[in-house]
Structure formats: structure tokens, C-alpha cells
């Protein structure tokens, strides 16, 4: 053998998608127009559940009914408290041979209103916020924010809020100092450039009209307007979940339109691709389960996050319907914990190890382990699990790559994988490389999004 032939045989490099499949540039662009719509319509976990259920119902899915019998190809779903959702297509193999699961999350970093949020200071009315998930606070000031959420009134009426998304609607904003006066602030560490208690969102600046007689007339004016818009009072914020999110719509980035810029791509990019794969699979061999979960960004806590038993209980229901032991089902199942990874950023190369980073336009990223300080808090998928998933993707001609979450000891993070593993299920992380992850405007590659969809579809269709 020549050196060149030996090199071909013995070494390995991940492919550039556009070189291997030039025709996929256009296919990816088409696929991503639906993805951009999904991002624009679902900016909170609740809105994502509503959008998902619309798509599921349109595709013939119906709520799971444990008193019914199901055949291969039947499609069902179940909503958990309006904030997470699971969809299933029944397979041709017996359920005890395992489920093909795909878990993504639909919560994203944002600013939540504090329970008592409204205040006035020196003629400006504000909302006090508490950030949710890992954000770099300085990135969130001086950008337009819209208000989404729900409020329960005294009488139990539920009011849904979505303000700032439609053309012409008012939006909200946090301020930052001008460079002329930032000498003291410039001396702060970047992580403290904007501090937690400086995340105050402007909601108004005009006083209530007969302001002579009342204190805090600007706050009152804001409350009057909130009451006009939504019928709510200050006390109602105690029965609310209101999130402030970037107003930006999803757009194409670059002269070649190869990238998508949008808020909330972590992890709605995997939610959308998993959902489309779930919908598009017709009569799979293994029964599928597509889980779109809440609360991943704060550790999968709460009863809508993966560190709760709602997924286990769903598997138990499926097992009861099929009259099999749920422990056999779980032990034989294979799961993709579908989450984004940090794409190699040439501008900030030092935090990456270039041989083990994922890159835009090289496909979905298979992440064996996450965690920090020696893989701590990670699932660390087994060689057997890696082998199964790699075989499925290779046989389907999917472009994929591996990636670590940054160089050793550069930082770290976690996903839902360890909670799935705790149910005695084989699991590995797979998702889309993202630039500027957790910023108000994250970037993904259309080709990567499309090949992630292809990976998920192959995973559901494989024998
Ligand atoms: Mn994520
Ligand atoms: Mn995240």
C-alpha cells in the first residue's frame, strides 16, 4: 500500500457537509424555514408545548388513553402541566424490546420577573428580574425584550401574556452606562459588568395623570396600563410566571445565508428536529418517545424537568397498555439526549481543544460526556452505546462529528443525559453545534440542523 492509501485506511476526519452533499445546502435551507417559524412562535416552554401540540394533532397524534389498545403506527402524546410534552409512535417490535427515546429541552435562558416585580425610582417604573439559567448578564442589557407568560387572577381566571412580538407593539429594555461615565464599571470583572440586581427592566416613564396627590405615580401609571391590557393588579404577579425574552426574530446570517441567528436555539433546535423526526416516522421497528422537557437550564429540577418521574411514569403507562414489565422496557431502551454543544469559535480558540471540538457545517455532534472537573456530573456514554448510535448514523449517511464541551477544565456543563441514565436506559448526547450559546442571539448552521434531523429520523427508523 502507498502512504496515501494507508492514510485513507487508517486515519479519520469528519466530512464537510457541503462538500459531501452539495445538494443539501438547498434542502437544509428549506427545512430551516419551518424551524425559524417554530422559534418565532415558541419563545417559552409553554408556547413551545402549544406549538408542538398543534403540529402533533395535525399529524394525527391523539392524547394517550391507557384504556385503549394500540397498533404499530398509532401516534399518541401526553402533556405534563403545560410545560413539557411526550409523543410516541408505536413500533412493530414488542415494547419489551425497548423504546427509541429522544429527549430535548424547550426552556432557554431568560429573565424571569420576581414575584414582587414592580417598582419606581426617580421617575422611571421598572420590573425587577431574576435571571433563569446561565447567562452572561452584560449581553442582555440594551436589547429589546418582549414579555411572555401567564397570570392567574384572584377568581382563578388564567390570563396569557405575549407583548412585544407583533409589529408595532411596545417592547422593554434594560439600560447600561454610556462609555463617557463607565470608568468605574470598566474596572469590574466581565462577569460583574452587569450585576444581578442591576437587571431592572424599564416599563414606563409617565406619571398617572393626577400625579399631584399620589406617590409613585409612574408605577401607578404602569399598573393602570397593565390592568387595561390584562386585567391584572400588583398582587396577581404572585400567581404568575412571566418571562422576558429577546424580541429578535430568527434570521439568516451571512452573505451565503448559511447560519441562523435567533434566541432560544439551545435547545429548541433539537426539540424541533426531534419533533419533525417523530412526526415523519410512519411505522418504526421500535416504539418511539420524543420528550420535550422543561427546566434543563436549571438542572432539570421540578416536576416538569427530567429529574422528576414523569417520563418514567409515561413508560410505565405504555408498559401497562402493552401488558409488559416496564423494567424490561427501560433496560432495553436507547436514548438520545438531544442537546446543543459549543461550536469551535476561531475568535476564542483558547477555550477549545481543536481535535475534540465540534465545528459548524460538519453535522450533528455526538458528545460522549459533558460535566466538569474530571467528567463530574456527566453521563459518559458507554462504548456500546456509542457503537450503536454511530452505526445508525453511518448506515443512513448522516454527517456527524464528536465534540467535547470545551477544553479540559475550561468550564463545563450538563444535560438531561444523567437523568435518563438513572432510569436504567442507555443514553448519549447528540445535537447541534452552536456559536454564542446562551446569548440572546445564538447561531446555528442550517446544514447542521438538517443533518441533526436526519440523524434523529435514522435513529427512529433503524432496526
Ligand atoms: Mn441545552
Ligand atoms: Mn443550555
Amino acid at each position: 500500500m502507498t502512504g496515501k492509501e494507508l492514510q485513507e485506511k487508517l486515519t479519520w476526519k469528519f466530512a464537510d457537509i457541503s462538500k459531501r452533499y452539495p445538494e443539501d445546502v438547498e434542502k437544509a435551507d428549506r427545512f430551516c424555514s419551518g424551524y425559524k417559524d417554530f422559534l418565532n412562535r415558541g419563545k417559552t416552554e409553554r408556547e413551545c408545548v402549544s406549538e408542538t401540540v398543534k403540529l402533533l394533532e395535525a399529524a394525527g397524534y391523539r392524547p394517550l388513553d391507557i384504556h385503549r389498545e394500540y397498533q404499530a403506527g398509532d401516534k399518541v402524546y401526553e402533556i405534563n402541566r403545560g410545560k413539557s410534552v411526550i409523543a410516541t409512535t408505536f413500533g412493530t417490535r414488542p415494547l419489551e424490546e425497548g423504546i427509541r427515546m429522544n429527549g430535548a429541552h424547550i426552556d432557554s435562558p431568560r429573565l424571569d420577573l420576581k414575584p414582587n416585580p414592580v417598582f419606581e425610582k426617580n421617575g422611571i417604573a421598572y420590573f425587577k428580574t431574576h435571571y433563569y439559567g446561565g447567562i452572561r448578564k452584560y449581553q442582555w442589557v440594551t436589547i429589546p425584550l418582549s414579555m411572555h407568560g401567564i397570570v392567574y387572577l384572584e377568581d382563578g381566571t388564567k390570563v396569557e401574556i405575549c407583548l412585544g412580538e407583533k409589529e408595532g407593539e411596545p417592547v422593554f429594555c434594560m439600560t447600561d452606562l454610556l462609555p463617557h461615565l463607565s470608568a468605574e464599571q470598566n474596572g469590574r470583572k466581565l462577569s460583574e459588568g452587569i450585576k444581578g440586581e442591576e437587571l431592572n427592566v424599564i416599563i414606563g416613564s409617565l406619571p398617572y395623570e393626577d400625579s399631584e396627590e399620589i406617590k409613585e405615580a409612574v408605577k401607578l401609571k404602569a399598573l393602570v396600563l397593565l390592568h387595561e391590557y390584562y386585567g391584572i393588579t400588583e398582587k396577581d404577579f404572585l400567581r404568575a410566571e412571566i418571562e422576558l425574552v429577546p424580541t429578535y426574530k430568527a434570521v439568516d446570517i451571512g452573505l451565503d445565508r448559511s447560519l441562523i441567528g435567533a434566541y432560544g436555539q439551545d435547545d429548541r433546535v433539537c426539540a424541533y428536529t426531534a419533533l419533525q423526526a417523530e412526526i415523519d416516522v410512519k411505522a418504526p421497528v421500535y416504539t418511539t418517545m420524543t420528550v420535550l422537557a422543561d427546566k434543563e437550564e436549571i438542572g432539570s429540577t421540578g416536576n416538569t424537568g427530567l429529574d422528576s418521574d414523569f417520563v418514567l411514569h409515561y413508560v410505565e403507562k405504555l408498559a401497562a397498555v402493552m401488558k409488559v414489565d416496564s423494567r424490561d422496557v427501560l433496560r432495553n431502551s436507547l436514548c438520545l439526549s438531544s442537546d446543543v454543544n459549543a461550536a469551535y469559535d476561531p475568535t476564542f480558540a483558547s477555550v477549545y481543544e481543536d481535535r475534540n471540538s465540534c465545528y459548524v457545517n460538519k453535522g450533528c455532534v455526538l458528545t460522549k460526556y459533558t460535566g466538569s472537573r474530571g467528567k463530574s456530573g456527566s453521563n459518559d456514554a458507554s462504548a456500546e452505546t456509542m457503537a450503536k448510535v454511530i452505526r445508525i448514523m453511518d448506515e443512513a449517511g448522516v454527517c456527524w462529528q464528536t465534540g467535547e464541551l470545551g477544553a479540559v477544565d475550561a468550564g463545563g456543563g450538563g444535560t438531561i443525559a444523567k437523568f435518563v441514565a438513572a432510569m436504567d436506559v442507555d443514553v448519549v448526547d447528540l445535537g447541534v453545534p452552536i456559536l454564542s450559546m446562551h446569548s440572546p442571539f445564538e447561531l446555528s448552521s442550517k446544514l447542521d440542523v438538517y443533518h441533526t434531523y436526519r440523524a434523529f429520523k435514522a435513529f427512529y427508523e433503524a432496526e
Side-chain angles (χ1 to χ4, degrees):
M1 269 191 182
T2 66
K4 209 163 183 201
E5 284 165 338
L6 275 171
Q7 200 166 42
E8 187 123 311
K9 184 180 149 115
L10 298 178
T11 65
W12 171 252
K13 250 188 176 162
F14 295 112
D16 283 305
I17 304 177
S18 64
K19 286 187 188 142
R20 185 165 163 198
Y21 297 114
E23 68 279 13
D24 279 9
V25 172
E26 209 182 307
K27 285 187 196 166
D29 184 66
R30 239 176 296 139
F31 180 83
C32 285
S33 81
Y35 170 48
K36 286 182 282 184
D37 285 346
F38 184 79
L39 286 173
N40 292 340
R41 284 198 290 259
K43 289 199 175 177
T44 68
E45 59 284 3
R46 288 177 193 269
E47 290 172 357
C48 277
V49 167
S50 302
E51 282 307 312
T52 298
V53 169
K54 271 185 218 160
L55 294 170
L56 289 173
E57 286 275 348
Y61 288 75
R62 294 294 173 261
L64 173 65
D65 175 359
I66 53 166
H67 305 296
R68 258 202 62 180
E69 279 185 15
Y70 289 102
Q71 315 291 327
D74 285 346
K75 288 175 173 280
V76 297
Y77 70 93
E78 189 164 274
I79 301 171
N80 177 14
R81 297 170 170 87
K83 297 172 74 162
S84 50
V85 57
I86 309 177
T88 284
T89 307
F90 286 93
T92 49
R93 284 215 196 172
L95 190 72
E96 67 261 43
E97 291 185 26
I99 293 174
R100 288 276 158 88
M101 299 183 189
N102 188 336
H105 68 92
I106 49 177
D107 62 316
S108 293
R110 61 183 190 243
L111 300 164
D112 286 342
L113 293 201
K114 290 193 182 192
N116 188 17
V118 191
F119 75 101
E120 172 179 339
K121 199 167 181 199
N122 302 99
I124 299 182
Y126 293 94
F127 279 148
K128 268 263 163 231
T129 68
H130 195 140
Y131 64 100
Y132 172 95
I135 65 166
R136 308 189 74 196
K137 300 176 199 81
Y138 72 87
Q139 295 176 337
W140 292 69
V141 294
T142 70
I143 63 167
L145 300 167
S146 49
M147 177 166 62
H148 296 241
I150 61 155
V151 184
Y152 280 92
L153 306 183
E154 194 92 55
D155 67 359
T157 311
K158 177 178 162 184
V159 179
E160 294 198 30
I161 291 176
C162 181
L163 187 60
E165 293 294 333
K166 291 199 192 102
E167 196 61 42
E169 283 183 344
V171 297
F172 306 91
C173 195
M174 297 183 290
T175 55
D176 195 1
L177 274 175
L178 59 168
H180 318 66
L181 296 180
S182 59
E184 178 272 323
Q185 190 196 31
N186 286 345
R188 297 182 187 177
K189 285 195 302 181
L190 185 58
S191 60
E192 290 163 10
I194 296 291
K195 297 178 183 174
E197 292 298 351
E198 292 169 348
L199 296 172
N200 300 324
V201 178
I202 293 182
I203 58 168
S205 61
L206 289 176
Y208 186 69
E209 285 70 7
D210 55 44
S211 56
E212 302 291 332
E213 300 119 61
I214 35 169
K215 273 192 195 164
E216 301 198 317
V218 180
K219 172 180 169 178
L220 180 63
K221 173 87 172 173
L223 287 170
V224 166
L225 289 168
L226 281 166
H227 193 259
E228 275 174 22
Y229 275 61
Y230 300 111
I232 58 177
T233 68
E234 190 172 22
K235 187 182 174 191
D236 294 327
F237 284 107
L238 297 166
R239 291 181 288 254
E241 283 178 338
I242 298 177
E243 308 175 9
L244 288 156
V245 300
T247 306
Y248 311 137
K249 298 277 188 270
V251 292
D252 292 346
I253 300 283
L255 295 168
D256 56 9
R257 298 177 171 265
S258 58
L259 307 174
I260 293 172
Y263 163 68
Q265 299 203 66
D266 173 8
D267 182 38
R268 292 171 194 140
V269 67
C270 294
Y272 181 76
T273 44
L275 179 64
Q276 289 305 319
E278 165 67 49
I279 286 172
D280 290 346
V281 74
K282 295 309 168 202
V285 176
Y286 292 95
T287 295
T288 70
M289 245 178 88
T290 304
V291 182
L292 306 189
D294 182 29
K295 291 282 191 281
E296 192 279 339
E297 294 296 358
I298 57 169
S300 294
T301 55
N303 57 15
T304 52
L306 255 290
D307 193 14
S308 119
D309 285 340
F310 80 92
V311 173
L312 176 65
H313 293 163
Y314 182 88
V315 173
E316 286 170 349
K317 279 189 207 173
L318 294 183
V321 167
M322 293 297 174
K323 300 179 180 65
V324 297
D325 188 330
S326 61
R327 288 169 297 190
D328 296 331
V329 179
L330 289 162
R331 168 59 68 107
N332 292 323
S333 290
L334 180 60
C335 180
L336 299 178
S337 158
S338 297
D339 209 341
V340 299
N341 199 338
Y344 183 87
D345 188 337
T347 304
F348 301 104
S350 66
V351 300
Y352 301 90
E353 190 264 282
D354 57 5
R355 293 185 54 79
N356 286 284
S357 295
C358 58
Y359 295 81
V360 293
N361 293 326
K362 289 190 180 236
C364 57
V365 49
L366 187 63
T367 304
K368 186 178 186 296
Y369 51 83
T370 57
S372 52
R373 300 176 309 281
K375 302 187 180 180
S376 184
S378 159
N379 159 64
D380 200 2
S382 68
E384 289 83 354
T385 304
M386 294 290 280
K388 281 183 202 165
V389 175
I390 288 170
R391 181 183 58 78
I392 289 170
M393 292 196 288
D394 281 347
E395 284 179 3
V398 170
C399 291
W400 61 276
Q401 54 186 325
T402 53
E404 271 188 321
L405 184 53
V408 176
D409 289 342
T415 64
I416 63 158
K418 64 175 178 177
F419 305 108
V420 176
M423 293 190 295
D424 194 19
V425 172
D426 287 325
V427 55
V428 62
D429 285 296
L430 186 71
V432 177
I434 297 279
L435 289 163
S436 305
M437 195 202 290
H438 281 213
S439 79
F441 194 69
E442 303 172 312
L443 306 186
S444 66
S445 130
K446 290 179 180 175
L447 283 166
D448 295 338
V449 175
Y450 180 57
H451 273 258
T452 302
Y453 160 75
R454 288 198 52 206
F456 292 165
K457 189 144 179 282
F459 178 71
Y460 281 158
E461 285 173 343
E463 307 228 334

